[in-house]
Amino acid sequence: MRRLFLPIYIIVALVMQGLFSSCTNETEDAPAISMVRYTDPDLADQDLAEVGLGEVIAIVGKGLGSTVMVTLNDMELSLSPVYITDGSVIVTVPDDVPTVATNSSVSNKLVVTTSNGMIERDLIVLPPAPSIESISNEFAKAGDSFKLSGKYFYFVEKVVFPGGIEVTTGLNVNDEATSLTLTVPDGVTEAGAVEVVTASGTSSTAPRFMFNDKTGMVCNFDDLNIFSWGVGPGAFKTEDGLDGVYVHTYQDSPITPGSWWDNNWVIAMNGYAGQGLNGAASDYALKFEVNVGAPLNSGRIQMQFIGDNGPHFLWKPWEINKDMTRYWEFTGDREPFQTEGWETIVIPIELFRYSGGAGAPVGNVADIDGQPIRFALQNADDPEGEEIPMLDIKYDNIRIVKIK
């Protein structure tokens, strides 16, 4: 959000205006507000209906010289006598003034109190710019439902897909402004970031939130199919896939606690051609798409690089209230996990640890570049492990990508 600072010539003019007013008016008028504007002379004709956090504004009117208090959304703003004249009061909208992001019943009222009375007017305070924390499916097709999760999805104007393709209708935001759903438009062929544009600003274009991007692909089950063992040919499917072949790990009979290493539950990939990855592990993530067709109430998907002592991570999407940096521990809280079609999963590489999870975390992504990767379902012993009535998980587009 931009901040507008007051040029010195405006300060001098306001001081002189205040001195002149005090000498020529024996009594001050009752306060009145004619407009609220920015202090920039080029924007002086714009009467503001909304303002952003951190902005400097001028309250213009008459009878304002004896102003003793200004509140915005019931929060008292800081005043300086230098910026108070009969015709205007200049204030800064602080970053902590309440908005709909912190108080859904915020008043959106500007109130000026003087020694001769009080006057108020409507003024919407915009929340911070939107922040995207995840997108539902990085390879969603035209016509698919698409969900963005994050914060501050207030006053949404449009969503912009790669290639500048805009969606301005059918933007559905939940009451908390933490999720935004829409339909993927036709014609998106480029790879790039998805952006949310609101009255407060535009979301970050950080590389964590990409669309149609195949950079860093390790295995897509089409032209990058690098198996050594695990699921057989019958697991390779195309029906209702993302963009070609995917792997389907499926079993219609129960999987009991303590069950491990069934080939039908394992995707074991040989070492792929190194991509020259180098840099802090915290800057990269393992990404893939899944489609979980039956509720998953137990089991770990062990994701492992190099070999048995190589760095691994245990993905347990059914376990809630989880500290992901201590993924080997069991919280005792579970909620069956199932997707509505394909979803993108993002696991930071810095969460992978050596020696079966007991060792040090990966420091540099070069340590895993070109190394074998294995996805394997394990159902732990009691109490973590429960009987899994049915296994139905589809995987596609396993990749290592830069997220920062």
Side-chain angles (χ1 to χ4, degrees), residues 18-300:
L19 291 174
F20 179 79
S21 298
S22 63
C23 293
T24 58
N25 291 314
E26 294 184 1
T27 61
E28 188 180 64
D29 293 326
I33 299 174
S34 58
M35 70 183 303
V36 175
R37 63 173 177 83
Y38 291 124
T39 55
D40 185 342
D42 293 336
L43 303 174
D45 294 335
Q46 181 182 355
D47 189 10
L48 301 176
E50 54 192 33
V51 294
L53 302 177
E55 292 184 329
V56 180
I57 58 174
I59 306 166
V60 180
K62 64 178 183 177
L64 304 176
S66 63
T67 296
V68 294
M69 183 169 64
V70 175
T71 64
L72 184 55
N73 289 347
D74 301 317
M75 179 177 179
E76 186 172 348
L77 307 186
S78 177
L79 295 176
S80 171
V82 175
Y83 298 150
I84 299 175
T85 72
D86 183 71
S88 69
V89 176
I90 295 177
V91 293
T92 298
V93 180
D95 289 338
D96 57 348
V97 71
T99 71
V100 291
T102 55
N103 180 359
S104 60
S105 59
V106 71
S107 66
N108 286 320
K109 294 289 185 181
L110 174 72
V111 181
V112 178
T113 303
T114 74
S115 59
N116 293 308
M118 181 179 72
I119 186 70
E120 69 174 36
R121 64 159 281 172
D122 294 334
L123 187 64
I124 295 173
V125 182
L126 298 174
S131 172
I132 300 174
E133 296 177 353
S134 67
I135 66 177
S136 59
N137 180 3
E138 294 187 1
F139 292 95
K141 301 174 183 176
D144 287 349
S145 178
F146 185 69
K147 181 179 178 180
L148 297 158
S149 299
K151 296 183 292 186
Y152 312 131
F153 296 146
Y154 295 101
F155 311 114
V156 176
E157 297 173 355
K158 59 186 176 182
V159 174
V160 184
F161 283 82
I165 298 176
E166 300 181 353
V167 178
T168 58
T169 60
L171 304 175
N172 300 304
V173 179
N174 68 347
D175 291 341
E176 294 76 25
T178 56
S179 73
L180 167 59
T181 58
L182 63 151
T183 300
V184 177
D186 293 329
V188 182
T189 58
E190 296 183 20
V194 177
E195 297 178 345
V196 177
V197 180
T198 72
S200 301
T202 303
S203 60
S204 167
T205 57
R208 185 183 182 100
F209 315 114
M210 302 299 283
F211 190 80
N212 273 349
D213 188 13
K214 297 183 179 181
T215 302
M217 194 69 70
V218 171
C219 182
N220 60 9
F221 308 111
D222 294 293
D223 56 334
L224 292 175
N225 179 10
I226 46 181
F227 277 86
S228 56
W229 62 280
V231 296
F236 291 79
K237 305 287 181 64
T238 58
E239 185 179 1
D240 297 325
L242 281 170
D243 53 3
V245 180
Y246 60 87
V247 160
H248 191 190
T249 56
Y250 180 83
Q251 182 169 313
D252 59 5
S253 59
I255 300 174
T256 58
S259 298
W260 302 67
W261 303 121
D262 187 303
N263 277 14
N264 293 321
W265 313 334
V266 178
I267 304 171
M269 294 161 277
N270 291 325
Y272 62 99
Q275 301 172 8
L277 300 178
N278 188 34
S282 58
D283 291 346
Y284 289 81
L286 177 71
K287 286 188 180 183
F288 55 96
E289 275 68 48
V290 295
N291 186 336
V292 181
L296 188 65
N297 61 301
S298 183
R300 312 161 168 178

Side-chain angles (χ1 to χ4, degrees), residues 11 31 75 85 92 136 144 177 195 235 243-244 267-268 274 310 320 322-323 326 328 330 335 355 357 372 375 378 404:
I11 297 175
M75 179 177 179
T85 72
T92 298
S136 59
D144 287 349
E195 297 178 345
D243 53 3
I267 304 171
I320 59 177
K322 184 69 176 175
D323 178 359
R326 302 183 65 83
W328 58 88
F330 177 50
E335 183 177 290
S355 301
F375 282 34
Q378 308 165 349
K404 292 182 183 178

